[in-house]
Amino acid sequence: MAMLVATVVALGIRLFTLSRPGFLTSPTEYDDGVYLGAAIRMTQGVMPYHDFAFVQPPGILLLMSPVALFARVTSTAAGLGLARLVTVLASAACVPLAGNLVRYRGTLATALTCGILAIYPPDIAAAHTLLLEPWMNVLCLLGANAAFSHGRLAIKPSRLAWAGVAIGFASVVKFWAMAPAVVLLAVCLLDRGPKATPQASAGVRRTVAYVAGLAGAFVVPLLPFMLSGPGTFFHSTVTYQAARVGTYTPLSLRLAHITGVIDVLNYVGTIGLAGANSLFGQAVVADTAPAQPHALPILAALVLAGIVAAGFIVGRRTLGQVEWFAFCTLILALAAILVYSAFFYHYPAFPGPWLAIVTGVALGSLIMPLDLRFQQVAVGAVVVVLVAATVLQLSDVARLTLPAGSEQITSLIPPGACVVTDDTSLLISADRFEAAKPGCPVVIDGLATTLVLTHGVSIQGGADHNASAVAAWQNYLITAQYVWLSPNWSRRIPTPAAWDLSKWTWFNQHFKQIAPALNWPCDGGTGWICGVGQLFVRR
């Protein structure tokens, strides 16, 4: 019952987000256009890494192939809506999967784990559109459920093989899934098996089964893409990502997202319950605010670490292998989030399930030894916190609005026109992402294109000074009939003109702006004042 209630709550919050005006098919994120657009192109025979730049592993393209086919027979906007709906289902499915791992510990630990994950702010934000984390998480949790039974490693090698398959393919969705893959391998190697079986041979068989499933599910999906261009594939998905320079994000802001205190922090990082201006509300519209919160996130992180440490110490004799698996995975996930140069609002969704499991188990270990009266008080306090967080989140989401103006731009682009944009989600939402045409540049991911052209140098890292990259982008644009620039185009397209389009002499000689109207107060340097960007037609 606890898992069912928490799953319903999780599904309700995430679906409520999509019910807001425009959230089902309007552009709200950059990455969803890249993933769905690349999947559509792949079903048309235009391959990532070979025919266009793509810097993520191809797992999400394989998962979204049915959605891409649906988009081709209906509309790309409908395909985007379907992709968002199935991503919500993947995110909500993580709740019972996480709860099932600790179900053997009883109702309290299960309810706490499920309740925390159901309302975990980064997980809700990451589920509002097509992103990698929900799909990576659901695959990793499926693998963990196959690998563990009643808190211990499963006896049958076949279960470990299936665990390897799930986690191996999760790594094809996002390489970060290698964290639980490595931890589970360590568990297999350290486990001595049940006393009733020949320990050495049982442990070897399970380890071999796991490694075989892991390797097969990882290598087989990657092989066609690697063979089409091994150097390009490796550099795109590994080298350029590792070398990428992102905008500096303070540790306190990263901790604010990880600990969930973004529910009570506003856009500038101070405590406030004003609604859609919260960091959580901004995350749901795909914005990592430039806030620099001070003590609260650090204090929350220390309290959370103290609860986990105390709970694991108190309940150390009852902890199973699954809890230590979750704990070690959490540590690796947090290290990835806190150390990586770039940071986005959806990154903390990766440690979300493991944080929920570890925290739920720790709280349960601290509450269970208490007298009944104190147990009731403690559980009541936790319930109050979870309910209050849910109310805040629903209040924030209810007030969210999206930039308007796409209809004006869409009506000006005739069907079948060659359009180049830095943000493919705009074209997909507008049903102008059509079949690739001879002579029309295939640019799916503007940022990835720049990274490939500069061998891993982002705009923040100095791509504007790379003459060959600037010339290549100039060639892409001059080939197009229309150029649709998002408000954030200068973070993806290298040009010495930076944000100021009036100084982009070459571009203005060949293109004229047709939307928004020329008297619109839009200069490109004022964020979303341009609505959904600016449209130019070749002179």
Side-chain angles (χ1 to χ4, degrees), residues 37-48 50-52 69 72 225 435-436 442:
I40 292 172
R41 286 289 179 261
M42 193 174 70
T43 63
Q44 297 167 340
V46 183
M47 299 303 292
H50 182 270
D51 299 315
F52 61 89
L69 293 173
R72 289 179 60 184
F225 302 96
V442 183

Side-chain angles (χ1 to χ4, degrees), residues 513-524:
Q513 181 179 339
I514 57 175
L518 293 179
N519 59 356
W520 188 277
C522 175
D523 61 8

